[in-house]
Amino acid sequence: MASRVIPVDPFDLVVFGGTGDLARRKILPALFRRYCAGQMQAGTRIVAAARTEMDSAAYREMVAAALDEFDTPHAHDADQRRAFLDGLHYVTLDATGTQGWEELAALMSRDRIKAYYFSVGPALFGPLAERLHEYGMSDDEARIVVEKPFGRDLESARALNLTLARHFTESQIYRIDHYLGKETVQNLMAIRFGNMLFEPLWNSQYVDHIQITVAETVGVGGRADYYDRSGAMRDMVQNHLMQLLCLIAMEPPAKFDPSAVRDEKLKVIRALDPVVPNDIVRGQYRGVDDKPGYAEHVENAASTVESFIALKAHISNWRWAGTPFYLRTGKRLRARNSEIAVVFKEAPHSIFGAEAGRHRNILTIRLQPNEGIDLGVTIKEPGPGGMRLVDVPLDMTFTEALGPDAEDVPDAYERLIMDVIRGNQTLFMRGDEVEAAWAWTDPIIADWEASGDAPFAYDSGSAGPEEALALMHRDGRRWREIRL
Ligand code: BG6
């Protein structure tokens, strides 16, 4: 099975913040991979713009070094690499002043797709949008791509939405949540809505609870400044985990199109109950052996910002009333392990008697690593004697099932940038969605700030604080293991 590459029309892409970390780690390598895959046609122009004084030649060298460091293995040759680098332009530009804007405007083509990637802090979104308009670069073919964090609360997100709306319509604004670009996250929709098997059982009558875990082994090291102003709630829960929750809980959209999908996601967020303090556990990792703790990474050693969160959420609608959703994410945990587990209820009556034990089916969607799905089913334990039951996995690892193609899936950024060029907003967040997500997280954060409570400490390399285990134990449930 060969993956299909459909070339897109030539376009102009400007990466504001083109010398920054995200541009070097993700955006440029993603563009390079799409270039090598043959998706970009001759004439496509990629321009980086940033405050640093340098010329295009120096920029190309910088990108070459970034590719050496961050590009993942894929088929290409030296000529392709040279040609990609040669096609890059650089403009020294002052986002809040006038320097560089005329030069940039002169590079833009008329009558073709123009994408402006705001890979900069949100404080510059307004000035950039304004200047794009002022210098005649915001015509109907223009679209802007904005990175998270989209604000730090409802008020700032609303202000950002209003600022962008001054010069761009909602259909021109692409708010990135890179989790939506992950292949397996999209697979959530395929599994739910492409199969007859699951959807009839996908409700509180059959589902006992759902667990969403995004466990990371990385600490906050190089991004301590940013992270200590955000914490896990703003950095992960308000966006990535919320998006996973939406895809797992939403009603079937009538079509796989931007409005239908985003309308359904929004309904889920709006149906979330406020979370009571007793249903949340915050944690902060402490150092173990030679591994530094959170406090050693950040400037304020007494910081009470959380690097771990576990919480129980309820969705008040017909489908989910009574089925809790347990969300958990953290840094410096035992393993990099992200999955969604749909834990079904036990059969209402066991014909095999008490000695057969209690069993339930669990559908696990593994997001990373080792992407795949696993359905735990109950069968008879082999052998003579009584009827003893045992749970076994029906395990499908995508790379095994789909062959080499599944190993070469595009990175989330490759997929999302190409969707911007194609004008497909399905996998981007709409303004009202982002605001609704903040409206849910704001009171939780306000409670912590009012209480001043410190998060629970947990060891680097563990599964998080003990208190997170208790959050489920008291409901008679257990977290799934964070496996190495
Ligand atoms: C980013 C967060 O959005 O997502 C990081 O800011 C986090 O803190 C990262 O590490 C996780 O992304 P991935 O793709 O590695 O799971």
Side-chain angles (χ1 to χ4, degrees), residues 148 178-179 182 216 223 235-236 240 331 336 368:
K148 73 175 260 280
H178 80 277
Y179 265 56
K182 287 181 189 276
E216 299 186 273
R223 313 158 66 222
D235 184 53
M236 296 292 289
H240 303 327
K331 303 268 184 219
R336 180 168 187 255
Q368 57 193 25

Side-chain angles (χ1 to χ4, degrees), residues 23 26 33 51 156 159 191 198 202 218 269 414 478 481:
K26 293 287 184 187
R33 287 179 63 111
R51 186 183 271 273
S156 52
I191 290 166
F198 303 117
W202 213 259
V218 290
I269 306 174
E414 293 177 57
R478 266 193 305 151
E481 218 185 308

Side-chain angles (χ1 to χ4, degrees), residues 118-430:
F118 292 7
S119 178
V120 294
L124 293 181
F125 290 179
L128 287 177
E130 207 155 288
R131 277 162 187 72
L132 285 171
H133 173 71
E134 199 179 313
Y135 286 85
M137 290 185 262
S138 62
D139 60 26
D140 289 352
E141 299 285 19
R143 45 207 71 171
I144 57 176
V145 185
V146 292
E147 268 293 335
K148 73 175 260 280
F150 197 83
R152 53 176 289 107
D153 52 21
L154 176 57
E155 196 188 337
S156 52
R158 259 193 199 140
L160 277 179
N161 277 333
L162 288 173
T163 306
L164 297 179
R166 259 183 236 134
H167 302 298
F168 295 92
T169 61
E170 182 62 33
S171 64
Q172 293 177 293
I173 303 172
Y174 290 71
R175 295 176 196 77
I176 283 209
D177 182 312
H178 80 277
Y179 265 56
L180 291 177
K182 287 181 189 276
E183 193 70 13
T184 32
V185 174
Q186 293 164 54
N187 231 325
L188 278 179
M189 283 183 277
I191 290 166
R192 280 194 65 191
F193 307 129
N195 295 286
M196 189 57 199
L197 193 58
F198 303 117
E199 207 46 33
L201 307 179
W202 213 259
N203 56 53
S204 60
Q205 200 184 337
Y206 296 100
V207 176
D208 177 71
H209 73 277
I210 290 180
Q211 299 186 20
I212 303 180
T213 297
V214 177
E216 299 186 273
T217 51
V218 290
V220 299
R223 313 158 66 222
D225 254 11
Y226 151 78
Y227 196 90
D228 206 39
R229 278 178 280 118
S230 306
M233 193 69 177
R234 289 190 171 99
D235 184 53
M236 296 292 289
V237 178
Q238 187 271 349
N239 36 78
H240 303 327
L241 275 86
M242 177 67 83
Q243 291 298 320
L244 297 179
L245 174 74
C246 285
L247 297 183
I248 221 61
M250 71 185 183
E251 295 301 315
K255 282 189 261 175
F256 188 57
D257 81 7
S259 297
V261 170
R262 298 188 302 177
D263 285 350
E264 294 307 335
K265 287 199 296 169
L266 180 63
K267 286 184 207 159
V268 172
I269 306 174
R270 290 196 172 148
L272 278 168
D273 286 348
V275 182
V276 295
N278 205 25
D279 284 346
I280 305 191
V281 174
R282 304 165 73 218
Q284 191 187 82
Y285 62 87
R286 63 178 159 223
V288 171
D289 301 329
D290 56 338
K291 289 210 181 100
Y294 183 88
E296 292 150 76
H297 284 304
V298 296
E299 215 172 280
N300 171 18
S303 167
T304 57
V305 168
E306 76 287 350
S307 59
F308 175 98
I309 284 207
L311 64 82
K312 177 161 75 162
H314 287 283
I315 300 174
S316 277
N317 63 16
W318 270 56
R319 187 187 282 264
W320 292 119
T323 295
F325 287 72
Y326 296 91
L327 275 50
R328 167 176 66 157
T329 184
K331 303 268 184 219
R332 278 267 196 272
L333 294 178
R334 182 178 303 142
R336 180 168 187 255
N337 194 323
S338 301
E339 62 166 45
I340 298 172
V342 181
V343 181
F344 290 91
K345 291 185 173 171
E346 288 172 22
H349 163 71
S350 170
I351 64 166
F352 306 112
E355 66 277 15
R358 300 166 64 180
H359 299 269
R360 44 178 48 163
N361 302 114
I362 302 180
L363 173 69
T364 312
I365 299 141
R366 295 190 301 268
L367 303 179
Q368 57 193 25
N370 195 22
E371 292 88 345
I373 57 174
D374 173 327
L375 179 63
V377 292
T378 303
I379 59 166
K380 178 186 172 301
E381 193 176 277
M387 177 65 102
R388 286 178 304 272
L389 301 183
V390 61
D391 295 328
V392 293
L394 281 180
D395 190 341
M396 187 180 82
T397 299
F398 293 151
T399 47
E400 280 167 19
L402 302 174
D405 275 354
E407 284 169 23
D408 195 29
V409 292
D411 174 73
Y413 280 88
E414 293 177 57
R415 163 77 199 241
L416 294 175
I417 294 171
M418 287 301 120
D419 278 1
V420 172
I421 305 303
R422 288 195 201 93
N424 185 347
Q425 288 187 308
T426 311
L427 300 177
F428 294 82
M429 292 178 297
R430 211 165 53 191

